[in-house]
Amino acid sequence: MTLRISVIGTGYLGSTLAAGLAEFGHEVFGVDVVPEVVKKLNAGQPHIFENGLEHLLEQHTRSGRLRFTLDYDDIADWADVHFLALGTPELPDGSADLSQLHATIDALAPKLTKPALVVGRSTVPVGTAPALQERLRRLAPAGDGIELAWQPEFLREGFAVGDTLRPDRLVFGVQSDHALRLLEQVYAIPLSEETPVITCDLATAELIKQAANTFLATKISFINAMAQLCQVAGGDVTVLADALGLDARIGRGHLSPGLGFGGGCFPKDIRALAVRADELGVNVLSDLIKSVEVINSAQRIELAELAIDQVGGDVAGKKVAVLGAAFKEGTDDTRDSPSLTVADYLHDRGAFVEVYDPQAHLAPRDGFTQVGSVTEAVRDADIVLHLTAWPEFRYLDPAELAPLVKSKIIIDGRLKLHAPTWRDAGWKLVQIGRAATL
Ligand code: UDX
């Protein structure tokens, strides 16, 4: 059955969700407050880089099933279901900033005169949803006819379209059969493909998302701590990770060592969970999370210091080529990018840093320069740093790059380069956690 659905917020979650719901056959209105964004989306053009999104947007804006608006009057009583896909950035104390959710409810609710289901998709501290429902009901003429459900998202940047169309699980935090039935209609297509569903209360739904991100971040920090140990003890962390990953209870996912995690989700979400755990007196959890963060930050500094060692202990006046600015491959997102922390650290110590990334565009920054190709970045470099695991970096020909650089030293911060190929071409290739490469 075709539903009328609004998706409020058109960031990487909202624009992918809106396009995905249109692909499921629904009539969809996306809402944003930025006129240029709405204009672009209505022309079928994404305002972020996400694999496959342009095709979906183009297809469904053309078919008329997908539209975007600035005006809540277009959607308030039109939609059967309203999705809230708004950001919850970090406040200075590490807690989640809910102001976008509050502002949206304040704009939408006074226009809701008919019963409707509002579904939160943002990542929020446990206990947020009931307070939002109370705010909705207080402000909406439809009052108790407005119901809130919570459906956490698990989209990975770079795979957001696939994760929307073929989710590995759906979590429905609901308070009534009516809400559950509506969500089942929204997701009739993935449900017909036997996507597993977890139905639960609002608090569990809120927590599942934060727990998933924190667990994955913990896996990454665990393997990075093991990388440190391998380095001093003489082991190989990639072999260790492969062996651990073959244990079905552990799994190989998010066990890749290297520069650690960054981006717009893990860092802020785990800090927000730590703050909430402290507020609720569960300090054992916040202690665990703090250790995960300490390991993660240390990894960036470790790599930068290793680069300084490799150029002889002083990087001032040296040219450093940085391959990769995005926080991971497949995205143009540079929020809390480990690569840029390393670049900043070296620049602060006097290095001349040139960065190349296939997608990310850096705002002009003091000190280091973004260049348009690997060749430009590595020309006359005293050291090359491979910091984002873009596939194209794996296929670089070290023999072709060798005559361009001043010194054939490369640090593989993502442990993805084929060490024998680089060594055979005369390079010194260093990987943290593979002692034999040091
Ligand atoms: C993450 C979650 O995976 C997703 O479910 C959630 O909805 C949002 O947060 P995302 O931030 O897009 O998604 O990236 P992800 O692929 O999980 O990687 C996060 C960071 O961890 C990246 O910086 C990545 O380079 C790093 N990472 C990931 C590792 O260092 N090692 C790994 O094994 C995996």
Side-chain angles (χ1 to χ4, degrees), residues 62 78 99 165 196 256 314 341 352 405:
R62 194 148 28 87
W78 171 85
S99 60
L165 299 180
S256 293
D314 184 4
T341 307
F352 168 53
V405 295

Short mmCIF file of all heavy atoms in Angstrom, two decimals, residues 62 78 99 165 196 256 314 341 352 405:
data_model
loop_
_atom_site.label_atom_id
_atom_site.label_comp_id
_atom_site.label_asym_id
_atom_site.label_seq_id
_atom_site.Cartn_x
_atom_site.Cartn_y
_atom_site.Cartn_z
N ARG A 62 11.97 12.71 -10.99
CA ARG A 62 11.39 12.73 -12.35
C ARG A 62 10.01 12.08 -12.35
O ARG A 62 9.08 12.57 -12.96
CB ARG A 62 12.34 12.03 -13.33
CG ARG A 62 11.99 12.29 -14.76
CD ARG A 62 13.17 12.34 -15.73
NE ARG A 62 14.34 11.57 -15.38
CZ ARG A 62 14.51 10.26 -15.68
NH1 ARG A 62 13.59 9.59 -16.32
NH2 ARG A 62 15.62 9.65 -15.33
N TRP A 78 -0.82 16.30 5.34
CA TRP A 78 -0.75 15.49 4.11
C TRP A 78 -0.22 14.09 4.41
O TRP A 78 -0.72 13.09 3.89
CB TRP A 78 0.14 16.23 3.11
CG TRP A 78 0.51 15.46 1.87
CD1 TRP A 78 -0.23 15.37 0.72
CD2 TRP A 78 1.70 14.68 1.65
NE1 TRP A 78 0.44 14.57 -0.19
CE2 TRP A 78 1.62 14.15 0.35
CE3 TRP A 78 2.82 14.39 2.44
CZ2 TRP A 78 2.61 13.33 -0.19
CZ3 TRP A 78 3.81 13.58 1.90
CH2 TRP A 78 3.70 13.07 0.60
N SER A 99 18.57 20.52 19.76
CA SER A 99 17.84 21.72 19.37
C SER A 99 17.17 21.59 17.99
O SER A 99 16.10 22.15 17.77
CB SER A 99 18.74 22.95 19.43
OG SER A 99 19.83 22.78 18.56
N LEU A 165 17.97 0.39 1.36
CA LEU A 165 17.12 -0.48 0.54
C LEU A 165 17.15 -1.93 1.04
O LEU A 165 16.16 -2.65 0.92
CB LEU A 165 17.55 -0.43 -0.93
CG LEU A 165 17.47 0.95 -1.60
CD1 LEU A 165 17.92 0.88 -3.04
CD2 LEU A 165 16.04 1.51 -1.53
N PRO A 196 15.14 -9.16 9.13
CA PRO A 196 14.74 -9.38 10.53
C PRO A 196 14.24 -8.08 11.18
O PRO A 196 14.75 -7.00 10.90
CB PRO A 196 16.03 -9.84 11.22
CG PRO A 196 16.98 -10.15 10.12
CD PRO A 196 16.55 -9.40 8.90
N SER A 256 39.51 -3.85 11.73
CA SER A 256 40.68 -3.47 10.93
C SER A 256 41.48 -2.42 11.68
O SER A 256 40.95 -1.34 12.02
CB SER A 256 40.25 -2.91 9.57
OG SER A 256 39.66 -3.95 8.84
N ASP A 314 62.81 15.45 13.17
CA ASP A 314 62.35 16.84 13.07
C ASP A 314 61.68 17.04 11.70
O ASP A 314 62.32 16.87 10.66
CB ASP A 314 63.55 17.78 13.20
CG ASP A 314 63.11 19.25 13.20
OD1 ASP A 314 61.90 19.51 13.17
OD2 ASP A 314 64.02 20.13 13.22
N THR A 341 43.75 15.20 11.56
CA THR A 341 44.43 15.40 12.85
C THR A 341 45.94 15.21 12.65
O THR A 341 46.76 16.00 13.15
CB THR A 341 43.95 14.37 13.91
OG1 THR A 341 42.54 14.41 13.98
CG2 THR A 341 44.56 14.64 15.28
N PHE A 352 55.62 21.01 5.72
CA PHE A 352 54.89 21.55 4.58
C PHE A 352 54.02 20.39 4.08
O PHE A 352 54.53 19.42 3.53
CB PHE A 352 55.91 22.04 3.54
CG PHE A 352 55.32 22.36 2.21
CD1 PHE A 352 54.24 23.23 2.10
CD2 PHE A 352 55.85 21.79 1.06
CE1 PHE A 352 53.69 23.52 0.86
CE2 PHE A 352 55.30 22.08 -0.19
CZ PHE A 352 54.22 22.94 -0.29
N VAL A 405 59.41 11.31 -5.62
CA VAL A 405 59.58 11.71 -4.21
C VAL A 405 61.05 11.98 -3.89
O VAL A 405 61.94 11.55 -4.61
CB VAL A 405 59.04 10.60 -3.25
CG1 VAL A 405 57.55 10.44 -3.41
CG2 VAL A 405 59.78 9.28 -3.46
#
